[in-house]
Amino acid sequence: GAGVSQTPSNKVTEKGKYVELRCDPISGHTALYWYRQSLGQGPEFLIYFQGTGAADDSGLPNDRFFAVRPEGSVSTLKIQRTERGDSAVYLCASSLTPGAREAFFGQGTRLTVV
Amino acid sequence: SQKIEQNSEALNIQEGKTATLTCNYTNYSPAYLQWYRQDPGRGPVFLLLIRENEKEKRKERLKVTFDTTLKQSLFHITASQPADSATYLCALGKGSSNTGKLIFGQGTTLQVKP
């Protein structure tokens, strides 16, 4: 595709439910990142994939959060037993290779836990 | 602890003037620094990257400086236009791990009045 695509754009879920957020990066980009952004704050790093493997998951807040990228392209961020504090915009970004280069962001998925 | 600070208050300037945004950091040694623009409801868009061994970078009406002694970056928009109104984010990257993982500031909102 032309850019990074995230679905859904909005997700409302009840506390305690399970949600999946999808990211379709730019074709050929090997590096993929998930960030979380709360209102009035900058994006906060969650996890980085190089190819299929999670090379750095140091930003995942707890074991309710998990992400996969099984074929090295599309990635899914999974959140179990959602809590109201998980409400935020979840951003996905990709870059051609890792390192000091431009990251292309999707428009984000706004998750609201009620 | 590591900290990145951007002007917390919105910056309001008149069209045609130069906007200057500040990014200060502590307890961090970035290998490079990036500036992104973010419009409401959208993901960040890359503007410029400057490395630790570079003092200044320019792109059209944009100029970024990077002072690793002062631990500060300045971002300038010359001949500002109402279309420049947005939130601007600075982001620091470490070179040692070369992952491309970014640590973001909270952003500064710029409003350019016609």
Side-chain angles (χ1 to χ4, degrees), chain A residues 31-96:
Chain A
L32 185 146
Y33 310 85
W34 284 98
Y35 291 85
R36 177 168 70 174
Q37 187 172 26
S38 300
L39 194 63
Q41 301 298 312
E44 176 189 12
F45 172 79
L46 295 176
I47 187 169
Y48 152 65
F49 286 90
Q50 174 54 31
T52 60
D56 183 349
D57 64 356
S58 61
L60 294 179
N62 52 60
D63 61 6
R64 295 187 297 106
F65 288 74
F66 189 70
V68 295
R69 194 186 185 198
E71 298 178 357
S73 55
V74 171
S75 176
T76 305
L77 179 65
K78 308 180 182 198
I79 310 174
Q80 298 178 320
R81 304 183 304 281
T82 51
E83 299 177 357
R84 292 197 178 88
D86 299 335
S87 297
V89 175
Y90 289 81
L91 293 163
C92 175
S94 70
S95 62
L96 187 60

Side-chain angles (χ1 to χ4, degrees), chain B residues 32-92:
Chain B
Y32 58 93
L33 186 149
Q34 299 183 359
W35 283 88
Y36 286 80
R37 169 185 172 138
Q38 188 172 27
D39 291 283
R42 314 287 290 180
V45 175
F46 173 82
L47 296 174
L48 282 166
L49 180 152
I50 186 165
R51 299 177 189 274
E52 61 180 335
N53 60 347
E54 298 174 313
K55 296 292 185 187
E56 182 179 298
K57 220 47 168 320
R58 291 175 185 260
K59 179 183 175 183
E60 297 172 352
R61 295 185 295 111
L62 309 180
K63 184 178 86 170
V64 172
T65 63
F66 193 11
D67 189 325
T68 55
T69 301
L70 288 179
K71 295 186 183 293
Q72 180 182 77
S73 174
L74 297 178
F75 176 77
H76 307 271
I77 306 175
T78 58
S80 59
Q81 305 165 359
D84 295 326
S85 300
T87 295
Y88 291 85
L89 298 159
C90 76
L92 278 55

